[in-house]
Amino acid sequence: MNFKRFLPLLSLVVVPCLAQAPSSTAENVTRATLANGMRVVIIPNKLAPAVTVEANYLVGGNETPDGFPGMAHAQEHMAFRGCPGMTADQTAAIYALLGGEDNADTQQDITQFFATVPSGDVDVALRAQAACMSGIDDAQSEWDEERGAIEQEVQRDLSNPTYKFVSQMNATMFAGTPYAHDPLGTKASFDATTGAMLKSFHDKWYSPSNAILVVVGDVDAAKTLEEVKRLFSAIPNHSIPARPTIELQAFKSETLNIDSNLPYVLGFIAYRMPGTDSPDYAAAQILVDVLASERADLYGMVPAGKVLAAAFGLAETYRKAGVGYGVVALPAEGNVEGAMTEMRQIIEKYATDGVPADLVDAAKRSEIAQAEFQRNSIPGLADVWSAALAAEGRNSPEEDVDAIRKVTLADVNRVAKQYLSNVSTISAILKPAPSGAAVAAKGFGGAEQVTSAPTKPVVLPDWAAGPLATIQIPSDSIAVSDTKLPNGIRLIVRTDRTSPTVTLTGLIEHNSDLQTPSGEEGMGSVLGELYSYGTESMDRLAFQKALDDIAANESAGFQFSLSVLKEYFSRGVQLLADNELHPALPEQAFEITRGQMARYVAGNMESPGYRTTRALDIALVPAGDPILRQATPDTVSKLTLDELKQYHAETVRPDLATIVVIGDVTPEEARAVVEKWFGDWKASGPTPNTTLPPVPENKPSAVNVPDNESVQDQVTLAEQLNLNRFDPDYYPLELANHVLGGGFYATRLYHDLRQVNGYVYSVDASLNASKSRASYSVEYGCDPQNVSKARAIIVRDLDQIRTQDVSDAELLQAKAMMLRQIPLSESSEDAVAGGLLGRAEIGLPLDEPVLAAKKYMALTAEDVKNAFAKEIDTGNLVQVVRGPAPQ
């Protein structure tokens, strides 16, 4: 457990500090405004044969009618229910055949629809977007079916304590403005919403002049613009209503006390900050970065042993205001009030006395450097441009970076004093509430017999049927160098000139369940925390400053990484190697971390999340299996520093290490740098076993894990399979899984559970296979009264795959999804590096996606049925439910 990364709010609500800009010149960007007012921006990017199409409508939670805060969100959902010339089933089938990489989101002032598709299919994606600008099928019958799904999305978020905090915070801090409610919506308002109301909302706000279309990827800009004009120019424009005014009011400080299902207590202090329209916005971003720095006093509470984690970030960013927050995490029984008092004093001192000049300089370097990395992802770059143009009202992301360059120390100190000193705040304490231990269920509830047949094939409109009728095996476009260094390191390098950056990611094959000595459970987690304390030659602060000086991001451990500008690649690898091979492991830090970990483990073992995972493991593997080993407060408290150093020496070894380097570097350059800094790394002792033994199939069981803070049940159905990743049956099982899921309404589980019945918001079916084991699982969230109903549908759908041939259309669609996902998996450098590293770790060929594509293309419906019948037994499913007891 990495304390710096486990805070759930950071993934739930924190937004990027600013929309970073690529270092592209104006001539690389094609802009146009159509006669009907729609703005178009096209940014070519040759990273991969993929394109992201992102339609941004300048309407969101701000524009919703009084009493209906989720109207914009509901309209976003309904776009997937059909548009002119494209029914709901056709919409789902089109995007599934394009690779299944499409989605949408609703924010406070924008609604976005985005899809990443193979570059050869961009015209189909544009046609689909144009259809929904023309109109959306808001028929009452369609809304009656979709209402259940969106209400389950609400139930999911209401089960999250950090969402409850943010919601209550906004209601107080922004009372009397649209910011007081987020665009999610409420069950009560959705129950009162009608299809006619949704149509009226679309007719008011979905106008070409109220939209910005962003296209990024491997395109010919001129040809793409002509196609955009052909498809969108005929859509009539109309005026839109006046937008609500935002008049911020003073608010009184308040402290919220919220029961939590997390394994630790969180303390928040939230401040109202400048919005993106403010001339102080850029200085505020730098201020946030300074306060969040690991060299700043707030984070200093962690190595002092006062808190498990401390951070500062942004919870909300609107045009007229934002929200900055400080947060500390403590063990479940920790003195959070005292820690919050100290956090407030630290922030007040910075606001009163000023922030360190070198931290301001470091923050500016980091923000400007990150602008280069944004080019390394096609969908990421589309998000950056969409945020800048649609959410912030800029002409380009470069405006944000220019503003960052101009920020001075005086600007940051002035903003700190104005927004952080002697101001009203909203504080919150999220404290774990007892929920009870897992209990064996008496059965699976009243699951009725469900026998309906699969849906009929979908006939696509002509404009989609032709281009999507043929699927081809992609060529292996990832040219890599793959070598073994003298000390055993496997080095994989891919040269990519998209930006002047280099990313290194690596791993050391390791399994703590097999490699940790008996009685020392928790050793690996303690070691992982200690890497942040510097190296034998540099203490914590000196090491972090060295990273700041080159604007690098680095992490060490059994999984390690480095992101750095090309000019600093060698220095970055030097720092990474020093941290990985020669961590400081200071005695005082060890004692503090060991105590923190023991207290965290005590709270974690009482949490619903841990109990759910534990119940699933116990149900799936036999007693005595290595994965059932668990750290306890006792095992962690007894660890010694000598034992930890020995563990590091035995497990951190080059003969089990793989390093992937991708970016503006040749294989020869990368090898020279890696050998220079990692070349002296030697393995000691025999090579350890890191592969778990095979396990037998499990027996069926059912367990309920109480979670008093959840209003929705989270359900996992799973079983252990008698195969591994190298079994030939893996491929037909994976193909079957894409008949069941991955393509929204075009696949059986989504169609049956969400589109038809509205029982769930999402359902995920997964085949997880390793060198020696495999399991199959289906996960969904629903109301307690629908747990058994949803399970019955899932079992029916699985059994139909086992006993009946899938249709030709379904088989073609599943193959198309899997094959078209290959170029999409190359649409960011991080995805490419992750794929290469994952295949190397398990022992697959680096060109496995193309080899697998050939196998998928050769599979028949009978192959799929036979493999599913052989490997999947719905009678063996384990059911674990977290939340209220199923009814």
Side-chain angles (χ1 to χ4, degrees), residues 17-18 20 281-296 312 355-371 400-401 403-409 412 544-545 547-553 565:
C17 281
L18 58 114
Q20 301 288 357
Y281 179 64
Q285 314 315 304
I286 296 302
L287 174 62
V288 168
D289 289 350
V290 168
L291 295 176
S293 170
E294 291 192 18
R295 291 196 283 148
F312 199 93
V355 300
D358 65 325
L359 292 188
V360 170
D361 292 339
K364 291 177 63 177
R365 280 195 301 272
S366 177
E367 291 287 357
I368 294 168
Q370 288 306 306
D400 277 321
V401 177
I404 287 291
R405 292 189 180 100
K406 296 174 183 177
V407 169
T408 67
L409 175 63
V412 178
Q544 186 60 48
K545 183 180 186 306
L547 291 171
D548 287 346
D549 286 344
I550 60 173
N553 290 316
L565 296 173

Side-chain angles (χ1 to χ4, degrees), residues 192-214:
T193 299
T194 66
M197 294 167 64
L198 290 167
K199 184 179 186 306
S200 174
F201 187 82
H202 181 278
D203 291 346
K204 289 178 180 177
W205 294 103
Y206 279 61
S207 175
S209 61
N210 201 39
I212 302 173
L213 182 70
V214 174

Side-chain angles (χ1 to χ4, degrees), residues 57 83-84 128-136 202-203 206 231-232 234-236:
Y57 294 90
C83 302
Q129 292 284 8
C132 291
M133 183 177 289
S134 299
I136 291 176
H202 181 278
D203 291 346
Y206 279 61
L231 295 172
F232 288 86
I235 301 173

Side-chain angles (χ1 to χ4, degrees), residues 442-776:
K442 295 181 180 179
F444 301 120
E448 69 270 27
Q449 185 69 23
V450 185
T451 58
S452 62
T455 56
K456 295 180 180 179
V458 177
V459 178
L460 297 182
D462 291 342
W463 55 266
L468 299 180
T470 303
I471 53 176
Q472 296 180 339
I473 297 173
S475 61
D476 183 10
S477 59
I478 301 182
V480 300
S481 166
D482 185 7
T483 59
K484 181 82 73 170
L485 302 188
N487 62 356
I489 295 175
R490 183 178 182 183
L491 177 62
I492 302 168
V493 183
R494 184 190 181 189
T495 301
D496 175 39
R497 306 293 188 185
T498 301
S499 72
T501 64
V502 181
T503 296
L504 180 154
T505 183
L507 62 82
I508 300 165
E509 290 185 44
H510 170 260
N511 189 306
S512 60
D513 296 324
L514 296 175
Q515 293 177 264
T516 304
S518 177
E520 298 179 12
E521 289 82 2
M523 180 74 79
S525 296
V526 173
L527 174 60
E529 292 301 311
L530 289 172
Y531 282 107
S532 65
Y533 285 85
T535 72
E536 293 175 357
S537 60
M538 287 184 284
D539 66 17
R540 179 181 72 85
L541 293 176
F543 183 76
Q544 186 60 48
K545 183 180 186 306
L547 291 171
D548 287 346
D549 286 344
I550 60 173
N553 290 316
E554 178 267 359
S555 65
F558 294 112
Q559 293 183 322
F560 51 92
S561 65
L562 171 72
S563 298
V564 67
L565 296 173
K566 177 184 179 177
E567 61 187 299
Y568 300 121
F569 177 52
S570 182
R571 175 58 171 162
V573 175
Q574 179 188 13
L575 292 171
L576 171 64
D578 196 23
N579 195 19
E580 185 74 24
L581 308 184
H582 310 292
L585 306 179
E587 183 173 2
Q588 183 180 7
F590 168 75
E591 292 176 355
I592 289 173
T593 301
R594 179 182 60 186
Q596 289 175 325
M597 184 65 68
R599 292 190 294 276
Y600 166 77
V601 167
N604 189 46
M605 294 180 76
E606 300 296 318
S607 70
Y610 176 84
R611 286 172 166 162
T612 299
T613 301
R614 182 72 177 170
L616 188 61
D617 287 343
I618 291 173
L620 288 175
V621 300
D625 190 83
I627 73 166
L628 297 180
R629 298 180 66 185
Q630 59 179 341
T632 68
D634 185 59
T635 62
V636 174
S637 297
K638 291 180 179 178
L639 297 174
T640 70
L641 184 56
D642 286 341
E643 291 170 340
L644 183 135
K645 290 180 177 179
Q646 181 66 24
Y647 185 78
H648 176 268
E650 293 177 352
T651 58
V652 178
R653 45 191 302 140
D655 54 337
L656 294 178
T658 300
I659 293 176
V660 175
V661 178
I662 183 170
D664 189 8
V665 62
T666 67
E668 294 76 18
E669 291 169 334
R671 175 166 183 162
V673 169
V674 171
E675 281 196 305
K676 180 176 181 179
W677 302 116
F678 281 97
D680 292 337
W681 185 15
K682 305 298 181 185
S684 63
T687 304
N689 173 38
T690 61
T691 303
L692 291 165
V695 289
E697 295 178 356
N698 59 276
K699 295 180 180 180
S701 62
V703 176
N704 296 337
V705 180
D707 185 346
N708 294 338
E709 306 313 311
S710 178
V711 296
Q712 181 187 68
D713 278 330
Q714 294 295 322
V715 185
T716 299
L717 305 176
E719 64 177 305
Q720 201 77 45
L721 306 182
N722 187 28
L723 76 157
N724 58 43
R725 178 59 182 83
F726 304 99
D727 193 298
D729 279 344
Y730 173 85
Y731 297 97
L733 288 177
E734 189 67 13
L735 194 60
N737 208 39
H738 280 69
V739 173
L740 288 164
F744 202 48
Y745 292 155
T747 45
R748 293 189 185 184
L749 291 176
Y750 260 104
H751 176 272
D752 297 344
L753 291 170
R754 175 170 167 168
Q755 184 180 11
V756 175
N757 290 288
Y759 289 155
V760 307
Y761 169 65
S762 63
V763 53
D764 297 307
S766 302
L767 173 62
N768 300 300
S770 66
K771 291 180 180 179
S772 57
R773 300 181 175 189
S775 63
Y776 187 78

Side-chain angles (χ1 to χ4, degrees), residues 121-257:
D121 299 317
V122 65
D123 290 355
V124 177
L126 290 170
R127 180 68 177 261
Q129 292 284 8
C132 291
M133 183 177 289
S134 299
I136 291 176
D137 186 359
D138 289 318
Q140 186 63 41
S141 59
E142 293 289 345
W143 170 241
D144 287 341
E145 290 185 344
E146 187 63 26
R147 182 190 290 113
I150 199 170
E151 289 181 352
Q152 285 308 305
E153 187 178 2
V154 172
Q155 296 293 81
R156 179 199 65 184
D157 287 353
L158 290 177
S159 300
N160 189 314
T162 53
Y163 173 80
K164 296 177 188 178
F165 156 58
V166 172
S167 180
Q168 294 178 43
M169 175 197 71
N170 283 338
T172 298
M173 189 175 288
F174 299 113
T177 77
Y179 299 162
H181 61 77
D182 69 25
L184 175 68
T186 64
K187 185 178 186 301
S189 66
F190 289 137
D191 286 342
T193 299
T194 66
M197 294 167 64
L198 290 167
K199 184 179 186 306
S200 174
F201 187 82
H202 181 278
D203 291 346
K204 289 178 180 177
W205 294 103
Y206 279 61
S207 175
S209 61
N210 201 39
I212 302 173
L213 182 70
V214 174
V215 180
V216 177
D218 185 14
V219 295
D220 180 309
K223 291 182 179 179
T224 301
L225 180 59
E226 288 305 309
E227 184 66 8
V228 168
K229 290 178 179 179
R230 185 181 73 82
L231 295 172
F232 288 86
S233 292
I235 301 173
N237 186 46
H238 60 78
S239 60
I240 60 173
R243 300 186 190 276
T245 57
I246 309 294
E247 297 182 0
L248 300 176
Q249 306 295 323
F251 66 94
K252 293 182 179 180
S253 294
E254 182 180 347
T255 298
L256 307 171
N257 288 280

Side-chain angles (χ1 to χ4, degrees), residues 274-350:
T276 59
D277 282 354
S278 170
D280 289 333
Y281 179 64
Q285 314 315 304
I286 296 302
L287 174 62
V288 168
D289 289 350
V290 168
L291 295 176
S293 170
E294 291 192 18
R295 291 196 283 148
D297 292 344
L298 180 57
Y299 181 81
M301 296 175 69
V302 177
K306 298 175 180 179
V307 297
L308 297 176
F312 199 93
L314 288 174
E316 307 284 9
T317 301
Y318 307 131
R319 296 285 291 267
K320 301 302 180 183
V323 179
Y325 70 91
V327 58
V328 290
L330 289 88
E333 300 303 321
N335 177 18
V336 69
E337 292 87 354
M340 291 173 68
T341 297
E342 182 171 350
M343 173 169 62
R344 188 183 295 275
Q345 291 171 346
I346 290 171
I347 295 171
E348 178 69 31
K349 188 174 188 301
Y350 277 132

